[in-house]
Amino acid sequence: QLQLVESGGGLVQPGGSLRLSCAASGFTFDYYVIGWFRQAPGKEREGVSCISSSGGSTNYADSVKGRFTISRDNAKNTVYLQMNSLKPEDTAVYYCAADRWAGRSLTPAVYDYWGQGTPVTVSS
C-alpha cells in the first residue's frame, strides 16, 4: 500500500540537466521526510539530498551542493530533484525514500520506505 515511484531518469550529456520525480501514495505524505539516494555499479548506496515534511528545510551531500535542488509539492504528493551541471560520476540508479523521523539524515538505513529507482546515465 505504501508506494514511492521514481521517474525522469535517462541518458544526458555532461553539463546537462535532468529532473527526477518521486510520486507517493498510500501514506500521509506531508508527515514524512523524503530523501534522494543513488547507487552506482559496485558502490554502496549514498545519500544525495533530503527535504523536511513541510519543505522548509533541505540537506545536500557535498558532492551535489550548488548543482542539485530538492523540492516538494505536498498537494501533488510529489518530490522533485532538479539536477544541473551533471557529471559522469553522477551516473547511478536514483531512489527516493521516506521516513517520518529521518530529520536531516542522508544515511540510507534511517529510511523505512523505498521506491524501485530510476537510472541516470551521464555520458557523451
Side-chain angles (χ1 to χ4, degrees), residues 18-19 22 25-27 32 36 38 43 52 55-57 60 62 65 67 75 80-81 83 87 100 102-103 106:
L18 211 57
R19 189 196 196 202
C22 173
S25 63
F27 62 101
Y32 282 77
W36 283 99
R38 65 188 183 187
K43 300 184 68 175
S52 63
S57 181
Y60 298 91
D62 288 343
K65 285 180 180 177
R67 300 190 298 122
Y80 306 95
L81 186 68
M83 305 187 295
K87 305 173 180 179
R100 190 173 292 190
L106 294 176

Side-chain angles (χ1 to χ4, degrees), residues 4-18:
L4 298 165
V5 180
E6 303 93 336
S7 62
L11 175 64
V12 64
Q13 294 184 348
S17 297
L18 211 57

Side-chain angles (χ1 to χ4, degrees), residues 46-62:
E46 64 175 346
V48 175
S49 183
C50 63
I51 188 165
S52 63
S53 59
S54 68
S57 181
T58 59
N59 192 24
Y60 298 91
D62 288 343

Side-chain angles (χ1 to χ4, degrees), residues 29-34 51-57 71-74:
F29 181 75
D30 57 325
Y31 288 0
Y32 282 77
V33 176
I34 305 296
I51 188 165
S52 63
S53 59
S54 68
S57 181
S71 62
R72 68 191 293 163
D73 186 342
N74 284 354

Side-chain angles (χ1 to χ4, degrees), residues 90-106:
D90 295 318
T91 295
V93 176
Y94 283 72
Y95 301 86
C96 64
D99 191 86
R100 190 173 292 190
W101 306 112
R104 291 173 51 84
S105 179
L106 294 176

